[in-house]
């Protein structure tokens, strides 16, 4: 089941093991297990923030295990800013905000690579301010609201 091609797969598709190795490299984690922990925590928290078509499109770009981590979480009632996301995840995991920021950067840089620029821009346009830095991008201007 896992080796079957997926529709709309990312042009830079990778297996979950390759994703873990990429996150391990990005985050300079000592073990694959530590990278996997970061991936699961960050993607579950991201899944609470990203909704609608962007969430579905992002899940299709990720390896199946990562897509499941993203889509099995319940949507948050209030959208969080980038800093709010870091604080919330730190409270949920018992980690420091600095550690969570590091984990988010390592995971989301890999997610951005898999999602591509267009989907990443759509996701960032739907999220409150402060998320671009978590994805390894500068937020040069305030985002404009999208008409619903």
């Amino acid at each position: 089941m896992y080796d079957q091609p997926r529709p709309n797969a990312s042009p830079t598709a990778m297996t979950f093991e390759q994703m873990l190795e990429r996150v391990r490299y990005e985050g300079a984690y000592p073990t694959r297990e530590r990278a996997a922990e970061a991936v699961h925590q960050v993607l579950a928290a991201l899944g609470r923030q990203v909704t609608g078509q962007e969430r579905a499109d992002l899940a299709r770009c990720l390896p199946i295990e990562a897509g499941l981590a993203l889509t099995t979480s319940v949507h948050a009632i209030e959208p969080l800013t980038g800093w709010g996301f870091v604080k919330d995840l730190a409270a949920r995991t018992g980690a420091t905000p600095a550690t969570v920021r590091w984990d988010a950067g390592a995971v989301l840089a890999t997610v951005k690579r898999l999602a591509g620029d267009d989907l990443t821009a759509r996701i960032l346009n739907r999220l409150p301010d402060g998320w671009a830095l978590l994805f390894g991008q500068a937020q040069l201007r305030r985002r404009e609201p999208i008409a619903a």
Side-chain angles (χ1 to χ4, degrees):
M1 179 167 124
Y2 290 112
D3 59 346
Q4 297 175 356
R6 298 175 66 191
N8 302 323
S10 168
T12 57
M14 59 178 72
T15 67
F16 187 63
E17 293 302 315
Q18 290 170 324
M19 182 181 187
L20 291 181
E21 281 304 312
R22 183 72 186 180
V23 170
R24 183 176 177 194
Y25 175 80
E26 291 285 337
Y29 297 117
T31 65
R32 183 177 285 197
E33 290 75 23
R34 177 62 185 98
E37 179 184 351
V39 166
H40 286 287
Q41 289 174 347
V42 171
L43 288 179
L46 179 63
R48 289 190 287 275
Q49 298 298 310
V50 177
T51 60
Q53 191 61 46
E54 286 76 21
R55 180 174 160 151
D57 290 347
L58 181 56
R60 276 193 295 275
C61 292
L62 301 174
I64 291 172
E65 298 90 335
L68 289 173
L70 177 80
T71 58
T72 55
S73 55
V74 177
H75 297 297
I77 295 171
E78 276 296 313
L80 298 172
T81 64
W83 176 238
F85 172 81
V86 169
K87 291 190 306 186
D88 180 67
L89 188 52
R92 288 175 185 270
T93 62
T96 65
T99 299
V100 170
R101 172 62 183 92
W102 185 270
D103 291 349
V107 173
L108 296 179
T110 303
V111 167
K112 179 184 182 299
R113 180 177 182 181
L114 289 167
D117 292 337
D118 292 341
L119 179 54
T120 300
R122 284 179 30 220
I123 291 168
L124 290 174
N125 205 27
R126 294 274 185 187
L127 293 169
D129 287 339
W131 280 86
L133 290 174
L134 296 176
F135 279 87
Q137 297 183 186
Q139 186 163 334
L140 301 177
R141 64 184 178 96
R142 243 178 115 67
R143 66 181 182 89
E144 298 175 16
I146 294 178

